[in-house]
Amino acid sequence: MIELPIVQLPLSSPSSHTPVSLHTHRGIDTQHHIGGTAPKVYVETYGCQMNVSDSEIVRGIMQASGYALTNTIDDADVIFLNTCAIRDNAERKIHERLMHLKYYKKRNRALVVGVLGCMAERMRQELIETKQIVDIVVGPDEYRKLPELVRRASFGEKGIAVKLSRVETYDDIEPLRTDGISAWITIMRGCDKFCTFCVVPFTRGRERSRSARLIVDEAQRLWDSGFKEITLLGQNVNSYYDPSSDTDFADLLRMTARAVPQMRIRYTTSHPYDMSNKLIATMAEHNNICKYIHLPVQSGSDRILQAMNRHYSVEHYKERIRTIRTYMPHCALSTDIIVGFPTETLEDHRMTVELMEEIRYDGAYMFLYSPRERTKAWKMPDDVPHEEKVRRLNEIIDQQQRISHEINQQSIGTIEQVLVEGPSRRNPHTEWQGRTDTNKVVIFPHRTDAAAHTRLGYAVGNIVHVQIERASSASLFGQVVG
Ligand code: SAH
Ligand code: SF4
Ligand code: F3S
């Protein structure tokens, strides 16, 4: 296992540790806002669901320290970008965003800009040194320090906190959730897998799990406050283990499913190496555990999987899929695939294409390989030319679209149980949108007749029965029948 360097550098000189009020800086002090309104924090989130969940923790921490939250950037006294470092283009987006934020800083010199999350952890002081606009840089395990760092920054002192922890799980922090019916619950942090392409073990540190009891209590509280769906989150949830109660991930799922029997329960992400029969059986046994598994395969070539340090063979992966389908014939499956990993030949790529054809995923997230500093693959030759990577990517995107379209056609005529999420994105005034437990988006029209509207349960958070009439590769369309 690689030992992570631990860095925690106050960038200002030691003598400037006591905050000094500079006349260009107003200073934020939430304790002394007599008669005034609380300073406002605006959080913008990039990257995966873990970051979405972390932003809720950040909001919780800031609110508990006397800050107000705002969704309007123009009103903000503090702007946080919670960033992602998974691929180069994820980071490029943040660089561009920081350029745009200069406008806000010019308008309000007291504005505090913080870069949080995985890119903060990866780039550390480089961010403060190269981006004048950035006041604080805070990694995923240091969010408790945010209020103090912001306070100091408002007096002109730049700050950085990027120490990774072996124990921090924010177990006692109440996340400030925004969504009405669907909630994320982070059950573990970090990753010990060290896939050779992946920066996450370096940006999020070692694996650690939250207490099972607190997770189940949180699920219960969420149900009591009106949430209808929870997603248990971790980079590799199959490694979840709470030693204090000897609870593994399958146990945790079972405990949660029993504690909130009406709640829809999802989880992500599973690693194929650790996907146990016990977990598959537990999913099959409980109706409220959604029949959908995201099981990233990355490649269909054993040689590439080995170079990626994925710990499984294509045969092991296929055997896991067969077991899943034996226990749960209608379980939906999705995956992640990287094209153009170092040394990937046309033959390796063909094996990925064939695996996708054989498994027939309901959906797939497909990426061009992007070399990341500090990872093992960084030292391998990035030898697939960019145009060839793009060609391979387009080929599998087209293939997946066709397969998703074909699979979705099979739903025509069936009646699906749909959790109503709200107005559809495309036609919010005429259509509703919901999701099946297999995670398919279902679109259905408004009822003009109010009685039917109520009788048929067209309200956010209700389960309605929708007869599917047509389907695209991305969505199902139908009518509510009861
Ligand atoms: N923990 C999850 C996913 C983490 S990141 C897992 O193990 O599956 C999400 C996806 O991003 C990965 O599954 C992988 O397909 C992709 N990814 C990660 N690093 C990448 C890189 N350097 N270049 C391209 N894609 C990458
Ligand atoms: Fe990255 Fe692999 Fe860990 Fe997923 S399991 S976060 S891909 S190192
Ligand atoms: Fe990105 Fe960090 Fe998630 S690198 S994908 S935000 S764990």
Side-chain angles (χ1 to χ4, degrees):
M1 195 190 301
I2 298 173
E3 199 56 41
L4 291 157
I6 290 170
V7 179
Q8 195 182 4
L9 298 171
L11 276 187
S12 41
S13 64
S15 61
S16 69
H17 261 235
T18 342
V20 181
S21 189
L22 304 175
H23 61 269
T24 47
H25 290 86
R26 173 162 48 100
I28 292 180
D29 188 345
T30 53
Q31 308 303 312
H32 300 102
H33 259 270
I34 303 157
T37 50
K40 294 196 183 79
V41 182
Y42 172 84
V43 187
E44 210 166 83
T45 307
Y46 298 81
C48 65
Q49 294 98 327
M50 294 288 296
N51 256 17
V52 176
S53 170
D54 276 4
S55 286
E56 294 175 343
I57 288 169
V58 166
R59 290 189 185 97
I61 289 171
M62 295 306 285
Q63 193 187 47
S65 295
Y67 289 83
L69 278 311
T70 177
N71 289 325
T72 317
I73 192 165
D74 292 280
D75 296 347
D77 300 291
V78 180
I79 297 176
F80 288 151
L81 302 186
N82 193 3
T83 62
C84 173
I86 200 82
R87 284 168 291 274
D88 188 52
N89 56 6
E91 291 197 352
R92 225 172 308 137
K93 244 191 253 167
I94 305 297
H95 289 297
E96 278 164 25
R97 189 64 178 137
L98 285 171
M99 295 282 286
H100 284 135
L101 293 187
K102 281 187 184 159
Y103 158 80
Y104 294 96
K105 192 88 167 187
K106 260 194 209 130
R107 228 184 37 172
N108 171 11
R109 295 191 59 82
L111 177 74
V112 174
V113 174
V115 176
L116 321 183
C118 292
M119 190 177 166
E121 190 62 48
R122 197 185 79 71
M123 293 189 66
R124 303 175 172 197
Q125 64 261 48
E126 191 187 333
L127 267 173
I128 286 199
E129 282 160 9
T130 59
K131 307 271 176 202
Q132 240 186 345
I133 183 184
V134 177
D135 298 300
I136 61 172
V137 173
V138 186
D141 288 346
E142 295 262 52
Y143 295 148
R144 288 179 198 270
K145 294 198 176 134
L146 279 171
E148 177 58 15
L149 287 164
V150 167
R151 199 180 65 80
R152 286 175 176 230
S154 73
F155 288 108
E157 187 181 344
K158 297 212 172 198
I160 174 163
V162 288
K163 198 169 152 189
L164 288 168
S165 161
R166 285 177 185 271
V167 292
E168 178 63 273
T169 57
Y170 301 110
D171 240 343
D172 55 316
I173 305 281
E174 192 67 38
L176 193 62
R177 296 187 163 92
T178 41
D179 195 350
I181 57 161
S182 217
W184 310 106
I185 303 183
T186 297
I187 62 163
M188 60 186 298
R189 303 181 70 81
C191 180
D192 287 351
K193 283 276 184 258
F194 287 98
C195 301
T196 56
F197 52 80
C198 185
V199 77
V200 172
F202 303 95
T203 62
R204 291 193 163 258
R206 299 291 53 80
E207 235 166 58
R208 67 220 98 116
S209 299
R210 290 180 58 197
S211 123
R213 190 180 54 78
L214 292 180
I215 295 168
V216 174
D217 285 354
E218 192 170 342
Q220 184 71 63
R221 278 202 311 279
L222 287 168
W223 177 257
D224 294 342
S225 55
F227 284 87
K228 304 293 180 200
E229 181 177 76
I230 51 173
T231 306
L232 307 183
L233 286 181
Q235 290 299 347
N236 173 20
V237 287
N238 313 101
S239 302
Y240 173 88
Y241 183 66
D242 173 11
S244 66
S245 56
D246 189 24
T247 305
D248 67 12
F249 183 59
D251 299 330
L252 176 71
L253 255 189
R254 185 179 6 87
M255 285 158 62
T256 315
R258 288 186 183 165
V260 281
Q262 308 284 88
M263 183 84 98
R264 273 191 175 185
I265 300 168
R266 301 184 184 280
Y267 66 87
T268 199
T269 301
S270 282
H271 190 290
Y273 176 77
D274 299 319
M275 181 95 208
S276 67
N277 286 353
K278 180 178 169 189
L279 171 57
I280 298 170
T282 305
M283 283 183 78
E285 270 162 33
H286 295 89
N287 279 336
N288 59 332
I289 304 178
C290 292
K291 302 299 177 276
Y292 166 65
I293 303 177
H294 181 60
L295 199 61
V297 68
Q298 313 296 0
S299 169
S301 154
D302 278 337
R303 192 181 64 81
I304 296 293
L305 287 178
Q306 201 170 11
M308 288 175 162
N309 192 32
R310 288 291 291 182
H311 301 285
Y312 54 83
S313 63
V314 174
E315 189 42 46
H316 170 87
Y317 185 90
K318 288 203 268 193
E319 188 279 324
R320 291 293 74 199
I321 300 281
R322 282 195 294 273
T323 306
I324 290 168
R325 286 182 168 157
T326 307
Y327 278 85
M328 296 174 285
H330 300 295
C331 187
L333 287 163
S334 63
T335 199
D336 289 346
I337 289 175
I338 297 177
V339 298
F341 186 78
T343 78
E344 185 188 71
T345 61
L346 273 176
E347 178 59 13
D348 294 317
H349 175 64
R350 190 186 55 75
M351 290 190 239
T352 302
V353 170
E354 279 172 9
L355 182 72
M356 291 172 75
E357 199 63 54
E358 186 178 333
I359 291 182
R360 293 177 69 79
Y361 294 104
D362 293 81
Y365 301 87
M366 295 159 277
F367 311 102
L368 298 180
Y369 169 68
S370 166
R372 309 309 291 141
E373 232 174 315
R374 293 176 76 190
T375 62
K376 272 206 169 153
W378 174 254
K379 298 200 186 82
M380 300 177 191
D382 184 17
D383 56 356
V384 181
H386 181 72
E387 312 76 69
E388 177 56 16
K389 279 186 191 162
V390 172
R391 193 199 64 76
R392 292 180 194 178
L393 182 66
N394 285 336
E395 183 184 348
I396 60 170
I397 290 175
D398 287 348
Q399 181 192 17
Q400 184 55 48
Q401 229 165 17
R402 172 180 53 78
I403 294 172
S404 298
H405 189 267
E406 286 167 9
I407 292 177
N408 286 350
Q409 298 309 303
Q410 292 163 9
S411 298
I412 294 175
T414 60
I415 292 174
E416 303 282 345
Q417 284 194 21
V418 176
L419 176 62
V420 181
E421 290 176 346
S424 84
R425 251 177 243 150
R426 202 171 290 173
N427 299 310
H429 300 297
T430 54
E431 287 171 346
W432 287 87
Q433 171 175 322
R435 228 169 260 266
T436 64
D437 89 326
T438 52
N439 208 29
K440 309 231 171 186
V441 171
V442 181
I443 311 283
F444 50 95
H446 278 185
R447 295 293 283 235
T448 40
D449 140 28
H453 205 283
T454 314
R455 178 168 46 81
L456 294 173
Y458 278 72
V460 172
N462 285 358
I463 298 270
V464 294
H465 292 87
V466 180
Q467 179 146 35
I468 306 303
E469 294 171 336
R470 68 188 174 88
S472 68
S473 60
S475 317
L476 309 177
F477 302 84
Q479 301 285 337
V480 175
V481 291

